[in-house]
Amino acid sequence: MLRTGVRSELLWTIVVVVLAIVGIVALWPQDSDPASGDPQTSQWRVTGEKPFIAMPPDAELAPLRSRADLAPCPTPGDVGPPPGGPLADITVPCLGTPGTVDLAAALAGRPALLNVWASWCTPCREEIPVLNAYAELPGAVPVVGIDVRDDATSALGLLADLDARYPSVVDTRGTLWAALQVPNAIPTSYVLRPDGSVRRVASPVVFTEPGEVSLCQPDGRAGQSVCGVA
């Protein structure tokens, strides 16, 4: 009888603990994609008007921008086709200089390579110097970084440390992430075609040398990327 009572008391204790844990989990705020266990590489949901990345005042960013010395974000040309594709009418802050940029309008009529990255992403840190080396090659298509789920000051600090100069924008509200349908892990690169359509680069997932980037330029005759795409 004594053993039965002890076992019963122990069983009820376990049940109470399990119910308490379930209750805590149910009330825990869900900021990331529940399909992924890693909050740093999971797709996030942006609700309401609260920006996911708060941009500090320009006066605060000025010394960091001066140290990073990024190339200016692209601007629309005098002539060209009207912007189209999934990025049309999306305006985001430029990381390296004050102001905003509409990438679809700024890059309309020409190909580009868009790279989704963040300062906390280790593979991104390894890939950024490769992208910078490619961007400095003669005939390279424009490379534009898209900083996501990050802190703008940390992003500028990393680019300065890596001596990367190509321009980046900041996806403050996750609009570019949603438009590009970014998978649950970064870095992720996209070929932007002159007509505004985009294709995700499936292979390589992370560029390891500038020649790999060169192979992902869109083929002018077919309007397709010559590297693997998803």
Side-chain angles (χ1 to χ4, degrees), residues 37-221:
D38 185 353
Q40 286 192 325
T41 59
S42 62
Q43 185 172 353
W44 74 90
R45 296 187 298 270
V46 180
T47 59
E49 294 300 319
K50 182 179 180 181
F52 197 83
I53 304 176
M55 287 291 287
D58 286 337
E60 182 178 333
L61 290 177
L64 298 172
R65 284 170 165 163
S66 177
R67 176 172 174 259
D69 192 26
L70 302 184
C73 287
T75 57
D78 296 332
V79 294
L87 305 187
D89 301 322
I90 297 178
T91 301
V92 289
C94 183
L95 182 62
T97 57
T100 59
V101 58
D102 180 337
L103 288 180
L107 296 170
R110 53 178 170 157
L113 182 74
L114 308 179
N115 178 258
V116 182
W117 68 283
S119 64
W120 44 259
C121 162
T122 299
C124 300
R125 292 169 175 257
E126 298 169 354
E127 184 179 55
I128 286 171
V130 176
L131 294 174
N132 190 71
Y134 165 76
E136 294 178 345
L137 294 176
V141 302
V143 176
V144 179
I146 300 176
D147 185 34
V148 300
R149 198 175 179 178
D150 204 359
D151 174 78
T153 57
S154 298
L156 282 168
L158 174 64
L159 295 178
D161 290 343
L162 296 177
D163 197 28
R165 299 289 182 246
Y166 59 85
S168 274
V169 299
V170 184
D171 192 20
T172 51
R173 296 181 182 275
T175 50
L176 290 176
W177 179 287
L180 291 170
Q181 299 181 9
V182 179
N184 287 352
I186 59 173
T188 303
S189 293
Y190 294 82
V191 172
L192 175 66
R193 299 196 186 102
D195 64 359
S197 62
V198 294
R199 294 295 299 272
R200 181 167 60 88
V201 177
S203 177
V205 175
V206 179
F207 293 111
T208 59
E209 57 98 7
E212 292 178 335
V213 188
S214 299
L215 292 176
C216 286
Q217 294 188 34
D219 183 333
R221 294 170 298 171

Side-chain angles (χ1 to χ4, degrees), residues 22-31:
V22 170
I24 292 173
V25 171
L27 295 174
W28 197 264
Q30 302 296 316
D31 292 331

